[in-house]
Amino acid sequence: MKKHNKYNSEVTGAEALILALLDENVTDIFGYPGGAIMPVYDALYDYMDKLNHYLVRHEQGATHAAQGYSRVSKKPGVVLATSGPGATNLITGIADAQIDSTPLVCITGQVASHLLGTDAFQETDVLGISMPITKWNIQVTKAEDIAPAIAKAFYIATSGRPGPVLVDITKDAQFGKTNYQYKKCESIRSYVPYPKVNIEDITMAANLINEAERPFILCGHGVLLSGAEKQLLELAEKANIPVASTLLGLSTFPPENPLYVGYLGMHGNYGPNLLTNECDVLIAIGMRFDDRVTGNVSKYAKQAKVVHFEIDPSEVNKIIQADIAVLGDAKESLELLLPKIKSKNRKEWLKRFEECNVIEDEKVIRQAINPDSEKLRMAEVIDKFHKISEGDAIVVTDVGQHQMITSRYYKFNQPNHFVTSGGLGTMGFGLPAAIGAKVALPNKEVVTVLGDGGFQMTIQELGTIMQSNIAVKIIVLNNNFLGMVRQWQQLFFDRRYSFTEMKNPDFIAVAAGYGIKGKKVTKRDDLYQAIKEMYEAKEAYLLEVVVENEENVFPMVTTGAGVSEIILE
């Protein structure tokens, strides 16, 4: 492998890129080569002892793998792709990362600068295409500008509210020569990633919380991004405040803590949804009042004063008006808040959540995990998986019914142990994201729960697992339907199942073709042992569980309904 003094030495632009990634402590890259990025791949050949490159089977897989990597490691995921279709294949994953605040650094090759705008072979305006879905993007046409662009890219991607960035590098810039020097970016004029917390806002928020009889904390992904789990726990326990989580906030708060009352949203728990409209102070921390959480905004928490802790000013008052907005990093804000918070007995308020839990347990949960039906149910699979793994697995899901069931029935014991596509709801996310998570934390068990539909959108990434020997465990809940769409067709379209029934391949045979062991389960008596075998396997393993075709996910807040109008069946 190549060895030389990287500082003040003349290198190609392509090598400058590799050296810049090393200076940003990058160890893993997900990518796919092609003509316009070939000089970078040639330079990478000399650094394979320092950089691990994972060859995906589709560029979308690279972005999702980088997302999974970032979400569990709290480091930016790095993606390489070529121009034209290579770059456009990244777009879905970049959009997913943007809405879910996941830091990615995507590097694309581009045609030579003299060909820009000529519709040259594999030329697309990737800057124009990606501008609405990146935190920042740039096109580099000179070798000497590559290192500064990479430094700026990493700073922007990881600071403040994180997100994806894209650096598009022309082929002549990759071939050009430059004297390599690297200076990390630590500030950019007019860019303020961390708003200074206003102490007066903290004091007003504390006073409102202290006076409240029925306060309610809604915690989101921002708590995990900030690393504020400890401060959140201290706040809840000091003031005896119930805590509910958004989808991306799952794993933020200990599930066995009596103050944890469940999961918010369209298919969340009964109590947190219903009692949102009974609290007197709603404390939103690191969440953005997504429509899946609020339901009909005109019916949402009208009785409550709202305190919103948020790092991104654009999210404040965007959907729900805040009585007090505390701008800043969640961890810093909560640390300033805690000394001002008083202890208070709120037994009667907490009792309301317990009463709701009893109702949900009787009407939904018991039947879901101990069904009297002949066919297996999704919830019983996840319940058994949780018990076998003792809540310690990193769980990655795709999007659909299985995602909602996993969110409801798996209890996460540790932060950043749940990876899913939230805001964009991207089918095909699960398998490649699990690959990235396993690459980031190879000593952790990583299990991805997929539906038969989403699995087939990125099923080719089994090839990445095979080639790089990545020990991802896969559970496919197969109902031979696009289950979530089918549920809506059943409930709201008179069971007119228009193009949602799926004729699937032999998944076990497909996995075997990639050298991956597998088993198919159709009977309840075989389920526990099959999950145990899958979980304890030392290599990649695919477990297909055939489940009831027309199982529905409840509770449910239907379209146009308020959160207090949640239905149980």
Side-chain angles (χ1 to χ4, degrees), residues 10 67 216 548:
E10 191 175 65
Q67 286 176 273
F216 186 20
E548 188 175 316

Side-chain angles (χ1 to χ4, degrees), residues 371-435:
D372 53 19
S373 62
E374 181 182 339
K375 291 185 178 179
L376 290 164
R377 304 283 296 271
M378 290 181 285
E380 65 179 310
V381 179
I382 301 305
D383 180 62
K384 284 181 172 60
F385 164 44
H386 169 259
K387 288 171 180 171
I388 289 168
S389 66
E390 298 180 339
D392 289 331
I394 292 174
V395 179
V396 184
T397 78
D398 210 85
V399 170
Q401 285 184 316
H402 68 278
Q403 175 192 33
M404 298 296 99
I405 290 289
T406 304
S407 305
R408 287 178 51 78
Y409 294 98
Y410 196 92
K411 310 302 178 188
F412 302 91
N413 290 338
Q414 300 177 59
N416 295 303
H417 272 48
F418 181 55
V419 181
T420 196
S421 171
L424 199 63
T426 304
M427 291 178 69
F429 173 90
L431 183 61
I435 290 171

Side-chain angles (χ1 to χ4, degrees), residues 27 91 195 202-203 271 280 297 307 310 384 401 430 442 451 461 471 487 490 503:
T27 56
I91 294 302
I202 292 286
T203 301
D280 56 1
V297 173
V307 182
E310 176 58 50
K384 284 181 172 60
Q401 285 184 316
E461 298 309 330
Q487 177 169 336
Q490 177 184 333
K503 186 173 182 179

Side-chain angles (χ1 to χ4, degrees), residues 485-537:
V485 183
R486 185 214 54 77
Q487 177 169 336
W488 281 62
Q489 288 174 335
Q490 177 184 333
L491 298 177
F492 309 114
F493 293 88
D494 299 322
R495 291 182 181 265
R496 290 159 59 87
Y497 295 158
S498 180
F499 299 100
T500 47
E501 189 169 3
M502 300 199 77
K503 186 173 182 179
N504 292 318
D506 182 337
F507 290 126
I508 305 305
V510 171
Y514 286 99
I516 297 170
K517 294 179 181 178
K519 179 175 283 187
K520 182 175 183 176
V521 174
T522 60
K523 296 178 181 178
R524 188 163 286 116
D525 290 345
D526 301 330
L527 181 61
Y528 185 89
Q529 187 57 39
I531 296 174
K532 192 170 186 292
E533 184 179 324
M534 177 272 305
Y535 192 68
E536 294 177 352

